[in-house]
């Protein structure tokens, strides 16, 4: 896998063609605005075909399953299917339970690999690149373990160790970003200077900002880790250098927002938000098909 600066991290993208439909079986969901039906964990979705393909994949939203379009496994599905087990839960029903449990562990590890890979691509994080690479290699090695080892793994402890390193990446990147409290420039941009140096950058870590009116807000270098931004108006906001790890962006309005250099943003977060063709995203992320065009 390519973890060099600018690497596209292809191995950490879901490839449903090489998966045994694990997310369509292992995960539960309840009838709601996100899902048309209720399904228990371990029970195949009725839309899952014999070939492990979704029968309504091209029309999930229209069919009442927008929740499926938001989910992403970071490539854990194909790793568990083709590497960890090799034979499907249909071929070996006795292994189904273990396979689904391993899938949950693998997804967590692959998400950590995504963040570590991003850190390795950032020049601002160069002081910790050696530690990032070691953490990446250690985590990747864990993903190649057998089912028993993966299920015995203390995922929380490994997460905490990696998260400490990611926090250092965040501090380095946000310190280099422009915006309030910074005299420096954002990656590829110019800083404000003057009064900007006298103010601290926004720290909204874990904050409840549901429905907040942040239209055109200058959030460069802001700490939005774990913030609840459900339904927030971030249209036209500048989020370059902002740490968005774990931020809940469901139904957040990102139309015209600049997230091109946001830190630790993921495809599931983007998929859950609302945006348009003026929304700027990091190169590693794709524009969701359900996003709108700008109104002329």
């Amino acid at each position: 896998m390519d973890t060099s600066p600018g690497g596209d991290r292809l191995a950490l993208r879901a490839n449903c063609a090489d998966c045994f439909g694990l997310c369509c079986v292992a995960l539960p969901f309840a009838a709601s605005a996100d899902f048309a039906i209720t399904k228990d964990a371990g029970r195949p979705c009725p839309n899952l075909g014999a070939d492990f393909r979704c029968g309504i994949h091209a029309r999930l939203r229209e069919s009442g399953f927008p929740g499926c379009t938001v989910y992403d496994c970071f490539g854990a599905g194909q790793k568990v299917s083709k590497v960890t087990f090799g034979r499907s839960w249909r071929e070996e029903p006795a292994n189904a339970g273990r396979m689904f449990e391993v899938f949950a562990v693998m997804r967590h590890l692959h998400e950590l690999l995504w963040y570590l890979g991003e850190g390795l691509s950032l020049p601002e994080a160069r002081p910790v690149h050696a530690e990032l690479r070691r953490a990446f290699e250690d985590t990747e090695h864990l993903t190649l373990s057998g089912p028993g080892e993966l299920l015995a793994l203390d995922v929380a402890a490994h997460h905490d160790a990696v998260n400490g390193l990611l926090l250092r990446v965040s501090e380095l990147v946000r310190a280099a970003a422009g915006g309030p409290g910074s005299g420096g420039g954002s990656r590829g941009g110019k800083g404000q200077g003057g009064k900007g140096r006298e103010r601290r950058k926004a720290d909204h870590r874990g904050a409840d900002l549901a429905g907040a009116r942040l239209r055109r807000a200058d959030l460069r270098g802001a700490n939005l880790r774990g913030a609840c931004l459900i339904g927030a108006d971030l249209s036209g906001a500048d989020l370059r250098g902002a740490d968005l790890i774990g931020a809940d962006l469901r139904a957040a309005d990102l139309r015209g927002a600049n997230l091109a250099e946001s830190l630790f943003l993921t495809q599931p977060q983007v998929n859950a938000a609302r945006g348009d063709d003026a929304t700027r995203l990091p190169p590693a992320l794709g524009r969701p098909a359900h996003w709108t065009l700008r109104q002329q």
Side-chain angles (χ1 to χ4, degrees):
M1 134 175 214
D2 183 2
T3 58
S4 61
D8 59 14
R9 294 175 278 171
L10 281 175
L12 298 177
R13 299 171 189 270
N15 183 356
C16 299
D18 284 333
C19 178
F20 298 145
L22 297 184
C23 66
C24 304
V25 186
L27 305 179
F29 49 75
S32 62
D34 291 322
F35 299 99
I37 61 174
T38 294
K39 186 191 81 66
D40 296 330
R43 181 164 66 88
C45 173
N47 297 309
L48 183 67
D51 59 354
F52 301 113
R53 303 293 184 93
C54 174
I56 59 169
H57 188 268
R59 57 183 193 282
L60 281 165
R61 286 184 167 268
E62 302 91 314
S63 302
F65 291 85
C68 294
T69 67
V70 172
Y71 182 79
D72 190 284
C73 73
F74 295 95
Q78 61 257 31
K79 175 71 74 66
V80 172
S81 298
K82 300 299 183 179
V83 178
T84 314
F85 285 90
R87 292 173 62 82
S88 78
W89 48 272
R90 282 178 173 151
E91 295 172 291
E92 297 186 3
N95 270 338
R98 294 183 80 209
M99 186 178 295
F100 303 150
E101 290 181 53
V102 166
F103 173 61
V105 175
M106 189 70 76
R107 186 191 183 278
H108 196 98
L109 294 176
H110 269 229
E111 185 173 0
L112 292 178
L113 286 175
W114 178 270
Y115 297 137
L116 290 166
E118 180 174 344
L120 284 167
S121 75
L122 301 172
E124 298 92 338
R126 190 170 290 113
V128 293
H129 272 188
E131 293 172 79
L132 285 168
R133 190 165 295 282
R134 282 196 296 272
F136 185 95
E137 291 172 352
D138 288 346
T139 304
E140 188 173 42
H141 180 73
L142 288 173
T143 70
L144 300 175
S145 303
E149 294 172 284
L150 285 165
L151 292 177
L153 176 66
D154 189 337
V155 178
H158 185 72
H159 171 91
D160 289 345
V162 171
N163 190 52
L165 188 53
L166 297 178
L167 279 168
R168 293 170 62 189
V169 172
S170 177
E171 291 166 359
L172 289 166
V173 172
R174 291 188 299 107
S182 167
S186 173
R187 284 176 278 161
K190 295 181 180 180
Q192 287 186 327
K195 288 197 299 182
R197 290 191 181 94
E198 300 170 5
R199 294 182 291 166
R200 296 178 62 84
K201 292 183 183 178
D203 187 351
H204 299 300
R205 182 173 183 178
D208 184 356
L209 297 172
R213 298 178 180 177
L214 296 166
R215 188 170 186 267
R216 299 188 183 281
D218 185 352
L219 292 168
R220 284 176 290 168
N223 186 350
L224 290 162
R225 283 181 153 242
C228 176
L229 288 159
I230 298 174
D233 183 359
L234 289 160
S235 57
D238 192 342
L239 290 149
R240 288 175 292 169
D243 186 344
L244 290 167
I245 196 168
D248 192 338
L249 294 172
R250 283 178 292 170
D253 189 348
L254 300 179
R255 291 176 296 176
N258 189 348
L259 300 99
E261 296 171 356
S262 295
L263 184 62
F264 299 139
L265 183 66
T266 66
Q267 194 66 54
Q269 288 172 299
V270 170
N271 292 349
R274 296 185 294 128
D276 61 14
D277 58 342
T279 306
R280 298 182 61 187
L281 295 173
L285 302 182
R287 192 175 305 277
H290 63 272
W291 279 15
T292 62
L293 297 177
R294 282 170 289 183
Q295 293 183 350
Q296 300 299 323

